[in-house]
Amino acid sequence: MRFQDVDAVERYDGIWCCASLLHVSEAELPGVMTKLAMALKPGGVGYLSFKYGRGEREKDGRRFTDMDVAGLQKLIDWVNTLGGDILTTNKMGIKREVGSEDTAVKRFALETETIWQTGDVRAGRGDEVWLNAIIRKK
C-alpha cells in the first residue's frame, strides 16, 4: 500500500516510517503526513526518519526528499493547519472533524516529542546522516 492510499481514521496506536517517507515527493508530503496523522488514535505515536538535508534529489533512479529540523517542523505545522480543516467520515458514516470525540469542533495537533540525528551504520555510508523524530497526536 502506498502512503497516499491510507484511509484509516484513528485506527493505530503507532506508525513506524523508517526510511520510507523520504521516497514521497516534497509536494505530496503534507497530504501524506495528514493521512498518517488522521490514522493515528489520539495519543498515538509516530516514528519518522529522513536523510538529513533539504530538498529533493535523485540517486540511482530513486527519488529522495531530504529533511532538516526546520523543514520537519514546517511540515508538522502544515499538517496541523491542513488536518484541522479536513472532515472525515468514521465507520458509522458520521461526518466529524479529525480528532474529535463528537461533532463539536476540535482540531488535532501533532507535536514533535524528540528529534535527533544518527549516522548511517551501513558499510561505506558512515558520512550519511539521518534525521529521526518521534511525534505524538494530541
Side-chain angles (χ1 to χ4, degrees), residues 54-129:
R54 182 165 275 199
E56 294 180 308
R57 62 187 169 85
E58 190 173 313
K59 181 179 180 185
D60 300 327
R62 297 173 68 201
R63 166 182 281 168
F64 294 89
T65 300
D66 297 337
M67 192 72 60
D68 61 13
V69 175
L72 180 60
Q73 192 56 57
K74 183 177 177 182
L75 177 62
I76 298 296
D77 291 345
W78 181 315
V79 169
N80 285 336
T81 299
L82 184 63
D85 294 336
I86 293 177
L87 293 175
T88 62
T89 304
N90 67 16
K91 288 183 180 180
M92 295 176 65
I94 301 168
K95 286 276 199 177
R96 63 192 183 104
E97 193 160 2
V98 175
S100 66
E101 295 179 19
D102 54 29
T103 57
V105 174
K106 180 179 173 187
R107 297 180 188 279
F108 74 76
L110 288 181
E111 293 183 353
T112 306
E113 292 206 347
T114 307
I115 298 176
W116 71 100
Q117 295 175 26
T118 54
D120 200 313
V121 296
R122 295 173 291 177
R125 295 190 173 189
D127 61 338
E128 296 180 23
V129 178

